[in-house]
Amino acid sequence: MDAISAVEPVGNGEKGGHSVSNIVFRSTVLGSIIQGLVALLIGLAMYTFALGNQYITLSYNLARSASVALTEYTDELQPLVEKVMQRYHALPEEERQKTFTKEYRDLYLDIYADDEYSKIRRLMHRFLNNSDLFGVYIGFYDEKTKSLVYIVDPDDNEETATYPGDWEPVKDNELSEFINWDYDSKTYSIDNTEKWGWICTSGYPIHNAHKEIIAFVLADVSLNDLYRGVKSFVVQFSLSVLLIIILQAAAMVYYFRKRIVNPINDIAEAASNYARDKQEGSDVADHFSHLDFKSVSEMNHLKNVMSKMEFYISEYEKHLTDMTAEKERIEAELSLATRIQSDMLPSDYPAFPDRDDFDIYAAMIPAKEVGGDFYDYFLLDNSHLVMMVADVSGKGVPAALFMMMSKLLLRNAAMEGMSPANALTEVNEIICRNNKEEMFVTVWLGILDLATGVLTAANAGHEFPILKNSQGKYAAIKDKHDFVIGGMPGIKYRQYEIKIDPGSRIFLYTDGVAEATSTDFALFGIDEILDVLNRDPDVAPKQVCDAVYAGVEKFVKGAPQFDDITMMSIHYIKRYEVKESDMPQRSITVKSTLDQLEPVTAMATEFLDMYDCPKRIKPQICVVIDEIFSNISSYAYEQEPGDVEVQIVMNNAQRSVDLTFIDSGVEFNPLRVEEPDVSLAAEDRETGGLGILMVKKLMDGVFYEYKDNKNILKIRKFLE
Amino acid sequence: MIIEKEKNGTDLVIYLSGRIDSITAPNFDVELKSSIVGIETLTLDMEKLDYMSSACLRVLLSVQKIMNARGGMKVIHVNDVIKEIFDITGFSGILTIE
């Protein structure tokens, strides 16, 4: 949910950057302005060109018709022109510079008075009055001084009128255009003059009878109207274009808002609601499908995609929730399994606080949550310590399940008093019966007789045990290996015996120790284990295990542990003094009737079978039980039958069986019964006393005592 | 205790199996004594007999006395345990053991 809270809700006022309407408006305006400008320029050029041409034609036509009219006056005009030009050329340069001044004009005063001048001026005047011309006059282009010399000007306005001899400099190109006039093109010039503003001047030559150009008629047209026309055109055009642009942009904006911006905002709002609902944990599942943008296919598509996305996200969330719950459940179960598994391994220390004759410590460090290694130890009786270390193939839950089964079976077999070899053989048969997964377990199973120091052990494919005698160093026992448990049915496991002296130590482990691998793939190995063990050989079992584990940790240099590590260390401190109560025993109390002989015999034979009683001795003990019990049943209780307690005790230390009969009947010491003479012939023999005789002879010791009103008869038989 | 008999005229062979103890001895006594009526020679085959108690010995002694007056009695296929019992009790000197 943290990821969703990172999404900022997008309100209408919080849009970053420019809005789409804004962009549409701006781009429309900008584009239209560029278009409008181009249109304006083109329009302006065309307008100006057309109007300008009209003005040029106007002035040109005027100049020509004036020229035609003047053709009849060439006889008067030619001498006038020559007279003015003679006077002009006669003047020095500095005098000519005074043109347009009164002083300069006075130099030509006499020419004004000529009839020719007046006649021509009158004619010109008529032209001027009959047209819209700004001015029409006769001039002479003087090539020598590059100037236009005015000859006749009909203008009455003193301000603007020119007089004969007045002149103006002429640009080279204008001069050559007029002088080299080709009769075909219109000759004109456009200038912005100080006096009259923009004017267009067209000229037309005046020829004499010899077709010689004697002067030019020049017609001026003011372009100021044109200029004003252009100005108003630009203003009107621009204003109307601008108005159109604004209207168009507004329409575009309106359209875009309706069709694109609003749908986007709707989707944004729906998405924002969706994010908020997700954040608040609301389960509203439908945020997009109500939107309707059918008119814009892309928007509709976007809406459909969003709607689908919402559906898939919600499906995924459901799936994710289920998966998370499932994962949590598995984790919880796995941790419970880990606890159950570790609870199965004895782990309270000191393990046997009331025992000072031996010390034991074991530890299992699983590589995963649950492991396949296990160990177990328990006292079969006060003088027999059962120890086992095992490693199930594989890891994780399967190995753990197999480990549970193997451990229970092995423990049960050992507790039933089976020898290590018999226990392994039995467990192997049971496991092989239902082992479709073909798992197996390596086991080292040993029983240490704490009274004698005899270690009886069997090895089902497990690592070598390590032994240290009281005076020696730790060394591996290269014991006989049989096949792994679960590997193949029908295997007869073998066992071996080693007698160890008090002070000896045993170290057992799994391949998690022997095959611990460092980051550079070196194996810890048995030599390394022995090194660690022999470095400090006389510490307590816990310190032994800690030291080996520390050795492994140091060796692997932080490489991940890939197999369970199991260690067991036993210190056999001293021999155990066996007390009678420690010995394996059974007892039964029955009525003193002869039919109770059967359960007593059954109890004894069953017990003897458990302790590998030699074949010959068992029937002897049965005979003895028969004799004693029948004796008691016949003589102990005179009136009613009473209780008889029969005990049988196995003294493993001296390999003897002790039988005890206790009854509360009449005091009677069977040992005092006179023995029959066994050398007599049949006819002379008596039948009494034979039973007691047999008991004495078959057994190795018979003791009687009468104590607390009880007859106690104890019989001992050595088994070897 | 199981008893099987094989009679051949006045010769009788009895095959004993199981055990003859204080409980079964009285039956054995009755069975045996009824079987030897008119029998001259008696053979007891003890091959399958596990062990016997003194009660059985008393039956054997009693029958031995009867058979001494006739053609005789012998005991065959005696195992170690029973042989030891016969030795201890001096029965080895009384019975004919083969």
Side-chain angles (χ1 to χ4, degrees):
Chain A
M1 285 296 147
D2 285 348
I4 286 170
S5 68
V7 177
E8 283 294 320
V10 180
N12 278 334
E14 295 179 71
K15 293 171 196 143
H18 302 290
S19 74
V20 174
S21 322
N22 206 340
I23 290 167
V24 167
F25 186 79
R26 284 183 194 202
S27 52
T28 310
V29 168
L30 188 69
S32 303
I33 283 177
I34 291 169
Q35 284 176 16
L37 272 178
V38 171
L40 177 66
L41 286 176
I42 293 169
L44 198 60
M46 285 166 71
Y47 176 90
T48 313
F49 182 74
L51 232 74
N53 245 356
Q54 200 186 326
Y55 277 92
I56 289 163
T57 307
L58 177 68
S59 61
Y60 177 76
N61 288 343
L62 276 170
R64 200 172 61 172
S65 42
S67 161
V68 171
L70 281 167
T71 314
E72 292 174 31
Y73 295 88
T74 49
D75 293 342
E76 288 89 353
L77 183 60
Q78 192 166 10
L80 179 64
V81 173
E82 279 166 3
K83 210 189 282 178
V84 172
M85 289 317 292
Q86 269 171 14
R87 183 79 47 87
Y88 174 79
H89 284 131
L91 288 173
E93 178 65 27
E94 56 271 21
E95 286 294 325
R96 280 205 297 268
Q97 289 302 323
K98 293 173 186 169
T99 181
F100 296 117
T101 62
K102 184 149 188 331
E103 185 193 346
Y104 178 75
R105 283 171 181 171
D106 286 345
L107 295 173
Y108 299 87
L109 208 56
D110 56 316
I111 294 170
Y112 307 161
D114 284 353
D115 285 343
E116 293 91 348
Y117 176 76
S118 304
K119 196 176 173 183
I120 291 166
R121 194 169 177 270
R122 270 200 304 279
L123 180 71
M124 297 287 285
H125 214 271
R126 267 206 319 272
F127 266 100
L128 190 62
N129 289 339
N130 290 344
S131 71
D132 305 329
L133 281 179
F134 186 71
V136 62
Y137 50 91
I138 297 166
F140 184 87
Y141 282 96
D142 183 48
E143 207 173 352
K144 214 165 121 193
T145 59
K146 291 180 182 172
S147 57
L148 169 65
V149 181
Y150 296 97
I151 308 297
V152 181
D153 183 1
D155 194 0
D156 293 330
N157 186 348
E158 282 299 320
E159 291 282 311
T160 55
T162 59
Y163 286 83
D166 280 354
W167 63 274
E168 276 179 63
V170 181
K171 287 175 208 139
D172 280 348
N173 58 340
E174 192 184 335
L175 185 73
S176 70
E177 207 174 316
F178 279 95
I179 289 172
N180 305 317
W181 194 68
D182 57 2
Y183 298 91
D184 287 336
S185 58
K186 295 165 183 170
T187 308
Y188 68 93
S189 72
I190 291 170
D191 285 307
N192 188 10
T193 61
E194 273 179 42
K195 278 184 190 162
W196 307 292
W198 282 99
I199 54 168
C200 174
T201 306
S202 293
Y204 200 87
I206 306 164
H207 299 96
N208 58 13
H210 312 290
K211 294 285 174 195
E212 289 166 350
I213 296 171
I214 51 172
F216 276 86
V217 175
L218 295 164
D220 282 349
V221 178
S222 169
L223 292 179
N224 286 334
D225 284 350
L226 175 69
Y227 177 69
R228 275 193 297 277
V230 167
K231 233 163 78 176
S232 80
F233 170 81
V234 168
V235 170
Q236 281 170 17
F237 182 90
S238 304
L239 281 175
S240 40
V241 164
L242 207 61
L243 187 69
I244 290 166
I245 287 170
I246 287 167
L247 285 175
Q248 186 196 353
M252 291 283 281
V253 166
Y254 172 76
Y255 183 79
F256 266 85
R257 275 196 101 89
K258 195 175 166 197
R259 290 298 175 86
I260 293 166
V261 177
N262 289 346
I264 288 176
N265 280 340
D266 288 349
I267 289 174
E269 192 191 342
S272 150
N273 288 342
Y274 173 69
R276 188 199 58 219
D277 286 350
K278 277 271 166 271
Q279 211 164 8
E280 290 171 358
S282 152
D283 54 357
V284 178
D286 200 1
H287 290 85
F288 296 97
S289 59
H290 70 278
L291 300 172
D292 182 14
F293 312 127
K294 284 199 176 61
S295 50
V296 185
S297 66
E298 283 87 351
M299 285 298 151
N300 207 37
H301 181 58
L302 178 61
K303 174 218 116 176
N304 287 338
V305 168
M306 296 292 278
S307 195
K308 258 187 211 162
M309 181 195 77
E310 181 182 20
F311 175 73
Y312 288 135
I313 287 177
S314 111
E315 288 294 295
Y316 174 71
E317 269 177 357
K318 266 184 234 155
H319 182 59
L320 198 67
T321 312
D322 291 351
M323 283 214 324
T324 311
E326 179 69 10
K327 197 166 167 249
E328 276 167 6
R329 191 181 63 79
I330 289 171
E331 271 168 14
E333 285 182 2
L334 211 55
S335 87
L336 190 62
T338 311
R339 276 220 304 284
I340 291 172
Q341 196 186 29
S342 67
D343 288 351
M344 278 201 75
L345 306 178
S347 57
D348 290 335
Y349 294 98
F352 302 101
D354 50 349
R355 296 296 291 256
D356 58 359
D357 54 328
F358 74 98
D359 190 9
I360 188 165
Y361 184 85
M364 196 269 272
I365 301 107
K368 289 190 171 183
E369 283 94 342
V370 286
D373 274 11
F374 67 89
Y375 62 83
D376 200 3
Y377 52 79
F378 55 89
L379 281 169
L380 199 57
D381 54 56
N382 276 343
S383 61
H384 289 86
L385 176 66
V386 178
M387 303 155 282
M388 65 178 94
V389 172
D391 181 5
V392 171
S393 61
K395 294 182 190 69
V397 173
L401 285 172
F402 198 77
M403 165 253 164
M404 291 289 217
M405 176 177 70
S406 314
K407 181 176 178 292
L408 285 173
L409 289 173
L410 283 164
R411 190 185 174 103
N412 281 351
M415 273 194 155
E416 274 178 27
M418 286 188 196
S419 66
N422 288 346
L424 293 186
T425 304
E426 162 108 359
V427 171
N428 183 49
E429 290 308 309
I430 297 171
I431 287 180
C432 283
R433 229 173 279 154
N434 291 302
N435 188 18
K436 293 201 179 69
E437 301 306 317
E438 294 184 332
M439 297 191 77
F440 61 85
V441 56
T442 71
V443 184
W444 184 92
L445 173 61
I447 301 176
L448 177 61
D449 187 331
L450 296 163
T452 62
V454 173
L455 172 68
T456 311
N459 190 334
H462 199 77
E463 309 283 329
F464 292 125
I466 294 173
L467 179 69
K468 176 192 173 297
N469 274 317
S470 56
Q471 301 307 317
K473 290 176 116 187
Y474 276 105
I477 306 170
K478 306 273 162 111
D479 60 358
K480 287 175 268 177
H481 273 57
D482 285 316
F483 200 49
V484 293
I485 300 270
M488 195 194 294
I491 294 175
K492 278 267 170 224
Y493 286 86
R494 297 166 295 174
Q495 65 185 35
Y496 58 90
E497 280 186 7
I498 300 172
K499 191 161 165 107
I500 61 173
D501 51 351
S504 296
R505 290 155 185 277
I506 305 167
F507 183 77
L508 307 166
Y509 54 95
T510 57
D511 59 5
V513 180
E515 289 166 18
T517 311
S518 70
T519 44
D520 43 11
F521 301 108
L523 292 183
F524 192 58
I526 194 158
D527 293 338
E528 278 76 10
I529 299 175
L530 291 174
D531 275 355
V532 173
L533 290 171
N534 284 320
R535 211 172 292 156
D536 209 357
D538 295 318
V539 291
K542 183 182 187 324
Q543 276 73 54
V544 171
C545 291
D546 288 350
V548 173
Y549 188 59
V552 169
E553 289 271 86
K554 196 179 156 200
F555 181 81
V556 301
K557 296 173 200 138
Q561 181 190 340
F562 73 94
D563 202 358
D564 305 335
I565 288 178
T566 303
M567 297 166 288
M568 183 184 285
S569 170
I570 302 105
H571 182 198
Y572 179 47
I573 299 167
K574 62 180 184 187
R575 283 207 175 85
Y576 177 67
E577 297 292 334
V578 180
K579 299 187 278 284
E580 196 169 307
S581 59
D582 298 336
M583 298 171 190
Q585 49 190 288
R586 293 273 182 91
S587 78
I588 188 169
T589 301
V590 293
K591 287 289 172 199
S592 62
T593 52
L594 199 55
D595 60 331
Q596 293 300 309
L597 174 61
E598 189 58 43
V600 176
T601 310
M603 185 263 301
T605 49
E606 211 173 274
F607 181 79
L608 292 170
D609 283 344
M610 271 178 56
Y611 293 94
D612 301 331
C613 178
K615 247 186 184 152
R616 239 179 104 241
I617 292 171
K618 200 167 78 177
Q620 292 178 343
I621 289 171
C622 289
V623 170
V624 168
I625 290 169
D626 186 302
E627 299 304 340
I628 303 295
F629 192 81
S630 60
N631 227 339
I632 292 169
S633 114
S634 305
Y635 307 116
Y637 299 99
E638 288 170 328
Q639 308 291 324
E640 290 290 306
D643 286 342
V644 184
E645 187 189 348
V646 183
Q647 284 177 3
I648 184 163
V649 177
M650 178 66 67
N651 187 334
N652 274 313
Q654 58 185 36
R655 286 294 283 166
S656 70
V657 175
D658 286 359
L659 267 172
T660 309
F661 294 82
I662 302 162
D663 69 79
S664 312
V666 183
E667 183 181 356
F668 172 72
N669 183 353
L671 301 180
R672 292 225 183 116
V673 174
E674 203 183 320
E675 286 189 15
D677 185 348
V678 297
S679 58
L680 293 174
E683 279 69 20
D684 305 325
R685 288 291 291 266
E686 292 189 15
T687 53
L690 270 179
I692 296 300
L693 174 70
M694 281 164 70
V695 170
K696 282 184 189 166
K697 294 281 185 183
L698 288 173
M699 298 292 109
D700 297 309
V702 186
F703 317 94
Y704 170 82
E705 69 176 322
Y706 187 74
K707 197 177 164 189
D708 302 332
N709 299 320
K710 283 177 179 164
N711 292 300
I712 302 168
L713 184 68
K714 188 176 273 190
I715 299 152
R716 173 164 295 169
K717 176 69 183 174
F718 289 106
L719 298 179
E720 282 147 18
Chain B
M1 180 197 68
I2 299 164
I3 296 172
E4 282 175 32
K5 290 176 257 182
E6 197 181 288
K7 199 173 171 187
N8 188 5
T10 55
D11 295 344
L12 177 67
V13 183
I14 291 180
Y15 299 92
L16 303 170
S17 60
R19 62 198 194 207
I20 303 171
D21 57 14
S22 303
I23 298 169
T24 54
N27 286 341
F28 177 54
D29 189 26
V30 173
E31 188 75 24
L32 197 54
K33 281 179 179 160
S34 64
S35 301
I36 58 172
V37 175
I39 294 299
E40 282 300 312
T41 57
L42 174 66
T43 306
L44 292 175
D45 188 324
M46 297 192 174
E47 191 181 3
K48 290 179 179 168
L49 191 64
D50 294 336
Y51 66 87
M52 64 178 65
S53 72
S54 58
C56 179
L57 290 176
R58 282 191 281 274
V59 176
L60 290 181
L61 180 62
S62 160
V63 173
Q64 181 67 55
K65 283 175 183 171
I66 297 167
M67 293 313 291
N68 279 348
R70 304 187 198 169
M73 170 181 128
K74 61 180 179 184
V75 182
I76 60 168
H77 298 133
V78 176
N79 71 23
D80 286 351
V81 175
I82 295 169
K83 180 73 170 63
E84 190 181 7
I85 290 170
F86 288 160
D87 287 344
I88 291 165
T89 54
F91 271 53
S92 303
I94 297 166
L95 303 171
T96 309
I97 302 168
E98 287 181 7

